[in-house]
Amino acid sequence: TSNSVLARGLAAAVVLIAGMSAARAAEVWLVAKPFTPASGALAGIPMWGYADCGASFAGCAAAVASSPGPVINVPAGEGLIVHLSNALADPTSIQLVGARTAPLPPAAPRVNGRLQSLTVEVAAGGTGDYSWSATDLRPGTYLYQSASHVQLQVQMGLYGAVVHNAPDASCGTPPCAYPGVAY
């Protein structure tokens, strides 16, 4: 009886601790929006890009879009949550090329029999969340990009980089790119 109460309490603590470590994730608020570069080789050409909104969607209106989008740094051992606001006229989404993701449902939207998006989309004017656990996001660098109408949206500028450091203190500063391998 007291052993069974102790065992149940220990099991609950293990579940709670496992849930807490799995819940650790870097969070970023991005907006996909149109912009026109003022200088450089692409000056005057309408593009789409990502902008960092800060700590919430409240900063999205003033955020300046770029292509490539902002670099997302994920601390060692953490997952990633991307909160996406869509200021484009088309639905859009985000994927991490090479990271594990949940499969699309069989009823995923299709155009002429082809998938419209490789992941769940955010409607024009809407918001959505995308997440990867620390297990899904192995250490290294990733390309994040739109997974919707990829042949158009990536070419318009919807892409950027994610850096996920290895949980290894042997490299000191800067941290490890992979276990035992400094940048």
Side-chain angles (χ1 to χ4, degrees), residues 137-154:
L137 193 61
R138 296 176 312 271
T141 55
Y142 294 86
L143 173 71
Y144 70 87
Q145 68 178 38
S146 172
S148 301
H149 198 176
V150 176
Q151 65 275 25
L152 169 69
Q153 293 193 11
V154 173

PDB file of all heavy atoms in Angstrom, residues 137-154:
ATOM      1  N   LEU A 137      14.898  17.737 -34.014  1.00  0.00           N
ATOM      2  CA  LEU A 137      15.842  18.745 -34.491  1.00  0.00           C
ATOM      3  C   LEU A 137      17.260  18.368 -34.029  1.00  0.00           C
ATOM      4  O   LEU A 137      17.730  18.834 -33.007  1.00  0.00           O
ATOM      5  CB  LEU A 137      15.420  20.107 -33.937  1.00  0.00           C
ATOM      6  CG  LEU A 137      16.049  21.345 -34.522  1.00  0.00           C
ATOM      7  CD1 LEU A 137      15.739  21.455 -36.008  1.00  0.00           C
ATOM      8  CD2 LEU A 137      15.524  22.573 -33.803  1.00  0.00           C
ATOM      9  N   ARG A 138      17.903  17.521 -34.781  1.00  0.00           N
ATOM     10  CA  ARG A 138      19.270  17.111 -34.438  1.00  0.00           C
ATOM     11  C   ARG A 138      20.208  18.318 -34.540  1.00  0.00           C
ATOM     12  O   ARG A 138      19.916  19.268 -35.259  1.00  0.00           O
ATOM     13  CB  ARG A 138      19.717  15.996 -35.380  1.00  0.00           C
ATOM     14  CG  ARG A 138      18.898  14.718 -35.245  1.00  0.00           C
ATOM     15  CD  ARG A 138      19.306  13.667 -36.269  1.00  0.00           C
ATOM     16  NE  ARG A 138      19.411  14.141 -37.628  1.00  0.00           N
ATOM     17  CZ  ARG A 138      18.422  14.173 -38.516  1.00  0.00           C
ATOM     18  NH1 ARG A 138      17.224  13.765 -38.171  1.00  0.00           N
ATOM     19  NH2 ARG A 138      18.619  14.618 -39.745  1.00  0.00           N
ATOM     20  N   PRO A 139      21.357  18.288 -33.863  1.00  0.00           N
ATOM     21  CA  PRO A 139      22.300  19.405 -33.975  1.00  0.00           C
ATOM     22  C   PRO A 139      22.761  19.603 -35.421  1.00  0.00           C
ATOM     23  O   PRO A 139      22.901  18.648 -36.179  1.00  0.00           O
ATOM     24  CB  PRO A 139      23.472  18.965 -33.092  1.00  0.00           C
ATOM     25  CG  PRO A 139      22.863  18.025 -32.111  1.00  0.00           C
ATOM     26  CD  PRO A 139      21.794  17.300 -32.879  1.00  0.00           C
ATOM     27  N   GLY A 140      22.958  20.855 -35.785  1.00  0.00           N
ATOM     28  CA  GLY A 140      23.427  21.196 -37.121  1.00  0.00           C
ATOM     29  C   GLY A 140      22.734  22.441 -37.630  1.00  0.00           C
ATOM     30  O   GLY A 140      22.152  23.207 -36.866  1.00  0.00           O
ATOM     31  N   THR A 141      22.794  22.642 -38.929  1.00  0.00           N
ATOM     32  CA  THR A 141      22.142  23.792 -39.553  1.00  0.00           C
ATOM     33  C   THR A 141      21.056  23.292 -40.493  1.00  0.00           C
ATOM     34  O   THR A 141      21.176  22.215 -41.084  1.00  0.00           O
ATOM     35  CB  THR A 141      23.147  24.652 -40.342  1.00  0.00           C
ATOM     36  OG1 THR A 141      23.832  23.834 -41.284  1.00  0.00           O
ATOM     37  CG2 THR A 141      24.147  25.312 -39.412  1.00  0.00           C
ATOM     38  N   TYR A 142      20.009  24.068 -40.605  1.00  0.00           N
ATOM     39  CA  TYR A 142      18.856  23.713 -41.426  1.00  0.00           C
ATOM     40  C   TYR A 142      18.439  24.908 -42.264  1.00  0.00           C
ATOM     41  O   TYR A 142      18.655  26.057 -41.889  1.00  0.00           O
ATOM     42  CB  TYR A 142      17.655  23.322 -40.546  1.00  0.00           C
ATOM     43  CG  TYR A 142      17.858  22.069 -39.744  1.00  0.00           C
ATOM     44  CD1 TYR A 142      18.469  22.114 -38.492  1.00  0.00           C
ATOM     45  CD2 TYR A 142      17.442  20.839 -40.227  1.00  0.00           C
ATOM     46  CE1 TYR A 142      18.647  20.964 -37.745  1.00  0.00           C
ATOM     47  CE2 TYR A 142      17.615  19.684 -39.489  1.00  0.00           C
ATOM     48  CZ  TYR A 142      18.213  19.745 -38.253  1.00  0.00           C
ATOM     49  OH  TYR A 142      18.394  18.611 -37.516  1.00  0.00           O
ATOM     50  N   LEU A 143      17.782  24.622 -43.351  1.00  0.00           N
ATOM     51  CA  LEU A 143      17.110  25.626 -44.150  1.00  0.00           C
ATOM     52  C   LEU A 143      15.648  25.614 -43.731  1.00  0.00           C
ATOM     53  O   LEU A 143      15.032  24.549 -43.697  1.00  0.00           O
ATOM     54  CB  LEU A 143      17.227  25.278 -45.641  1.00  0.00           C
ATOM     55  CG  LEU A 143      16.440  26.155 -46.613  1.00  0.00           C
ATOM     56  CD1 LEU A 143      17.073  27.537 -46.708  1.00  0.00           C
ATOM     57  CD2 LEU A 143      16.392  25.503 -47.984  1.00  0.00           C
ATOM     58  N   TYR A 144      15.103  26.777 -43.341  1.00  0.00           N
ATOM     59  CA  TYR A 144      13.653  26.851 -43.171  1.00  0.00           C
ATOM     60  C   TYR A 144      13.120  27.554 -44.405  1.00  0.00           C
ATOM     61  O   TYR A 144      13.753  28.441 -44.969  1.00  0.00           O
ATOM     62  CB  TYR A 144      13.233  27.516 -41.859  1.00  0.00           C
ATOM     63  CG  TYR A 144      13.468  29.000 -41.713  1.00  0.00           C
ATOM     64  CD1 TYR A 144      12.521  29.931 -42.151  1.00  0.00           C
ATOM     65  CD2 TYR A 144      14.611  29.487 -41.084  1.00  0.00           C
ATOM     66  CE1 TYR A 144      12.723  31.288 -41.980  1.00  0.00           C
ATOM     67  CE2 TYR A 144      14.818  30.842 -40.911  1.00  0.00           C
ATOM     68  CZ  TYR A 144      13.875  31.738 -41.363  1.00  0.00           C
ATOM     69  OH  TYR A 144      14.069  33.086 -41.201  1.00  0.00           O
ATOM     70  N   GLN A 145      11.953  27.103 -44.844  1.00  0.00           N
ATOM     71  CA  GLN A 145      11.372  27.662 -46.061  1.00  0.00           C
ATOM     72  C   GLN A 145       9.877  27.397 -46.071  1.00  0.00           C
ATOM     73  O   GLN A 145       9.374  26.597 -45.299  1.00  0.00           O
ATOM     74  CB  GLN A 145      11.999  27.038 -47.300  1.00  0.00           C
ATOM     75  CG  GLN A 145      11.661  25.564 -47.484  1.00  0.00           C
ATOM     76  CD  GLN A 145      12.257  24.987 -48.753  1.00  0.00           C
ATOM     77  OE1 GLN A 145      13.354  25.321 -49.127  1.00  0.00           O
ATOM     78  NE2 GLN A 145      11.513  24.106 -49.406  1.00  0.00           N
ATOM     79  N   SER A 146       9.198  28.078 -46.972  1.00  0.00           N
ATOM     80  CA  SER A 146       7.788  27.804 -47.177  1.00  0.00           C
ATOM     81  C   SER A 146       7.647  26.387 -47.710  1.00  0.00           C
ATOM     82  O   SER A 146       8.442  25.935 -48.524  1.00  0.00           O
ATOM     83  CB  SER A 146       7.190  28.793 -48.175  1.00  0.00           C
ATOM     84  OG  SER A 146       5.871  28.392 -48.502  1.00  0.00           O
ATOM     85  N   ALA A 147       6.611  25.696 -47.254  1.00  0.00           N
ATOM     86  CA  ALA A 147       6.296  24.364 -47.772  1.00  0.00           C
ATOM     87  C   ALA A 147       5.036  24.423 -48.631  1.00  0.00           C
ATOM     88  O   ALA A 147       4.480  23.410 -48.994  1.00  0.00           O
ATOM     89  CB  ALA A 147       6.106  23.393 -46.616  1.00  0.00           C
ATOM     90  N   SER A 148       4.580  25.639 -48.934  1.00  0.00           N
ATOM     91  CA  SER A 148       3.377  25.848 -49.742  1.00  0.00           C
ATOM     92  C   SER A 148       3.776  26.389 -51.105  1.00  0.00           C
ATOM     93  O   SER A 148       4.558  27.339 -51.179  1.00  0.00           O
ATOM     94  CB  SER A 148       2.449  26.862 -49.073  1.00  0.00           C
ATOM     95  OG  SER A 148       2.078  26.414 -47.791  1.00  0.00           O
ATOM     96  N   HIS A 149       3.224  25.808 -52.149  1.00  0.00           N
ATOM     97  CA  HIS A 149       3.526  26.252 -53.519  1.00  0.00           C
ATOM     98  C   HIS A 149       5.016  26.589 -53.597  1.00  0.00           C
ATOM     99  O   HIS A 149       5.414  27.699 -53.954  1.00  0.00           O
ATOM    100  CB  HIS A 149       2.651  27.445 -53.881  1.00  0.00           C
ATOM    101  CG  HIS A 149       2.569  27.689 -55.351  1.00  0.00           C
ATOM    102  ND1 HIS A 149       1.773  28.652 -55.877  1.00  0.00           N
ATOM    103  CD2 HIS A 149       3.178  27.105 -56.424  1.00  0.00           C
ATOM    104  CE1 HIS A 149       1.888  28.673 -57.185  1.00  0.00           C
ATOM    105  NE2 HIS A 149       2.733  27.731 -57.539  1.00  0.00           N
ATOM    106  N   VAL A 150       5.824  25.603 -53.263  1.00  0.00           N
ATOM    107  CA  VAL A 150       7.258  25.772 -53.071  1.00  0.00           C
ATOM    108  C   VAL A 150       7.944  26.408 -54.280  1.00  0.00           C
ATOM    109  O   VAL A 150       8.798  27.287 -54.136  1.00  0.00           O
ATOM    110  CB  VAL A 150       7.923  24.412 -52.730  1.00  0.00           C
ATOM    111  CG1 VAL A 150       9.427  24.534 -52.620  1.00  0.00           C
ATOM    112  CG2 VAL A 150       7.333  23.866 -51.445  1.00  0.00           C
ATOM    113  N   GLN A 151       7.573  25.989 -55.480  1.00  0.00           N
ATOM    114  CA  GLN A 151       8.246  26.509 -56.674  1.00  0.00           C
ATOM    115  C   GLN A 151       8.032  28.005 -56.851  1.00  0.00           C
ATOM    116  O   GLN A 151       8.815  28.660 -57.535  1.00  0.00           O
ATOM    117  CB  GLN A 151       7.846  25.729 -57.935  1.00  0.00           C
ATOM    118  CG  GLN A 151       6.402  25.840 -58.325  1.00  0.00           C
ATOM    119  CD  GLN A 151       5.486  24.852 -57.614  1.00  0.00           C
ATOM    120  OE1 GLN A 151       5.787  24.374 -56.519  1.00  0.00           O
ATOM    121  NE2 GLN A 151       4.356  24.564 -58.197  1.00  0.00           N
ATOM    122  N   LEU A 152       7.027  28.593 -56.211  1.00  0.00           N
ATOM    123  CA  LEU A 152       6.811  30.038 -56.252  1.00  0.00           C
ATOM    124  C   LEU A 152       7.333  30.709 -54.983  1.00  0.00           C
ATOM    125  O   LEU A 152       8.130  31.647 -55.043  1.00  0.00           O
ATOM    126  CB  LEU A 152       5.325  30.365 -56.424  1.00  0.00           C
ATOM    127  CG  LEU A 152       4.948  31.835 -56.229  1.00  0.00           C
ATOM    128  CD1 LEU A 152       5.500  32.679 -57.370  1.00  0.00           C
ATOM    129  CD2 LEU A 152       3.452  31.995 -56.093  1.00  0.00           C
ATOM    130  N   GLN A 153       6.890  30.217 -53.827  1.00  0.00           N
ATOM    131  CA  GLN A 153       7.144  30.940 -52.581  1.00  0.00           C
ATOM    132  C   GLN A 153       8.607  30.959 -52.160  1.00  0.00           C
ATOM    133  O   GLN A 153       9.087  31.965 -51.645  1.00  0.00           O
ATOM    134  CB  GLN A 153       6.242  30.392 -51.471  1.00  0.00           C
ATOM    135  CG  GLN A 153       4.785  30.694 -51.751  1.00  0.00           C
ATOM    136  CD  GLN A 153       3.886  30.459 -50.568  1.00  0.00           C
ATOM    137  OE1 GLN A 153       4.315  30.247 -49.438  1.00  0.00           O
ATOM    138  NE2 GLN A 153       2.583  30.507 -50.816  1.00  0.00           N
ATOM    139  N   VAL A 154       9.339  29.884 -52.374  1.00  0.00           N
ATOM    140  CA  VAL A 154      10.759  29.895 -52.029  1.00  0.00           C
ATOM    141  C   VAL A 154      11.500  30.834 -52.986  1.00  0.00           C
ATOM    142  O   VAL A 154      12.359  31.608 -52.572  1.00  0.00           O
ATOM    143  CB  VAL A 154      11.354  28.469 -52.056  1.00  0.00           C
ATOM    144  CG1 VAL A 154      12.869  28.504 -51.854  1.00  0.00           C
ATOM    145  CG2 VAL A 154      10.700  27.609 -50.973  1.00  0.00           C
TER     146      VAL A 154
END
